Each structure stands twice: as C-alpha cells, then as structure tokens.
Amino acid sequence: MYRLSRFLLLSSLLSALIFTSCSFDNVDQNIEAAEFSLSNNDYSEASEICHKIAVRDSLNDLTTSQLCRLSIIYMRLSENRDEDVNVAMATRCFHMAMEQDSLEASVLYNDMPIDDQHWIHFLAEMNKILDSPRDFFADESPDTVFISGAPMIIDDIEEQEHTHN
C-alpha cells in the first residue's frame, strides 16, 4: 500500500510538472513563433502571439532582448494592420528596453538586420519624444509666453510695447 501511494504521488507530481511546462510556453519560443508567422505573412497569428505575450507574460517581466525583438515585430505588424496600436506597443517596448538596460538594448538594436534599421531609427525618435517632450517642440516659437505667471499672447506683448513707447 505504501509503495502504491508513493507511486501515485510521484506520478501525480510528474504529470503536474509536465502539464505546467507544456501549457506555459517560453516567451522566447513565442517571440520566435511570432517572427516565423511574420516571415510567412501570417499577420493574424503574429498579432495574436504578441498580444498573448503582452497580456499573459506582462511586458514588465520581459528581458531587454525580448523587448527589443518584440518592438520590431510590432513595427512590422504596423505595416499591415492596426498601425496606431502596433506603433504604440513597439514604442512602449523600445522605451522599456532602453530604461531597463540602454547599453544592452543599443547593442541588440545595432546587431539587427539592415531591413529593420529604419524601424529602429523611428523608435529612437519616438523615444526621444517620450523622454523629453518639451525639447522636441523647442524649435517652434511659442504662441503664448508666461510673464509673472500670467499667460499672454505674443501679439498682446507687442501691442503693449507700442502703447508704452
């Protein structure tokens, strides 16, 4: 009886371990599957896989390498479907990768194929906007300036200068 119960316990644990390892796929394997789907022009499948990664595995738990690869997959998806959503997700992945380890992310992005380099440059520009939105618009002249905390339209300032002179 003892041997039977011990056998059943061990076989239950082994079955549970096998079931768990098979039901929760590795993130890297899912990313590879998404890349394979894209190479076969199966955008629906690639999109589904990316969605599962983002929801089930949480972007916060991904490595820098995984975030870099995922950002490029999202950019490729944006060429064919849900452009705004996919660009937003790609930008988010790029930004998170750079925050996590900018040196590793830079090396990974530099090693990516030449065909992906235009996406990387685009994402780098989007990341600059996220990091410092005020600097992005600094070249434009403002329509409104603040003097002593009160907003004034530039035309009003020029008008006041003419009346005081």
Side-chain angles (χ1 to χ4, degrees):
M1 177 76 175
Y2 174 74
R3 284 187 158 175
L4 182 60
S5 63
R6 189 172 175 202
F7 173 76
L8 290 174
L9 177 65
L10 285 174
S11 62
S12 306
L13 289 173
L14 185 60
S15 297
L17 180 64
I18 291 171
F19 176 75
T20 304
S21 65
C22 292
S23 63
F24 296 106
D25 294 334
N26 185 325
V27 174
D28 287 320
Q29 290 172 341
N30 285 331
I31 291 173
E32 286 175 20
E35 290 168 335
F36 181 77
S37 295
L38 277 177
S39 69
N40 290 320
N41 297 322
D42 190 350
Y43 300 101
S44 296
E45 180 68 18
S47 183
E48 257 183 63
I49 293 168
C50 288
H51 178 72
K52 287 177 184 174
I53 292 170
V55 172
R56 186 189 68 208
D57 298 311
S58 174
L59 294 178
N60 295 324
D61 297 332
L62 299 184
T63 66
T64 303
S65 173
Q66 292 166 338
L67 288 166
C68 291
R69 291 172 65 197
L70 203 53
S71 68
I72 297 303
I73 294 170
Y74 276 119
M75 287 306 296
R76 288 182 190 158
L77 283 170
S78 75
E79 293 179 309
N80 293 288
R81 59 179 36 227
D82 301 326
E83 181 180 14
D84 295 340
V85 172
N86 287 317
V87 168
M89 289 300 293
T91 303
R92 183 173 176 205
C93 290
F94 184 93
H95 186 74
M96 291 174 74
M98 287 303 198
E99 281 186 337
Q100 215 174 67
D101 188 340
S102 60
L103 182 60
E104 180 185 359
S106 296
V107 168
L108 290 167
Y109 282 122
N110 284 333
D111 289 343
M112 288 191 175
I114 192 76
D115 293 344
D116 294 331
Q117 292 301 314
H118 69 286
W119 293 128
I120 296 164
H121 292 293
F122 174 81
L123 289 169
E125 289 300 315
M126 295 296 288
N127 196 48
K128 283 181 192 175
I129 296 169
L130 288 174
D131 284 341
S132 53
R134 297 186 119 190
D135 293 344
F136 180 75
F137 296 105
D139 294 337
E140 297 181 19
S141 15
D143 293 336
T144 305
V145 292
F146 288 85
I147 300 175
S148 301
M152 298 184 77
I153 305 298
I154 290 178
D155 293 338
D156 293 342
I157 295 170
E158 291 171 356
E159 188 178 302
Q160 285 180 357
E161 286 176 358
H162 290 289
T163 57
H164 291 305
N165 290 335

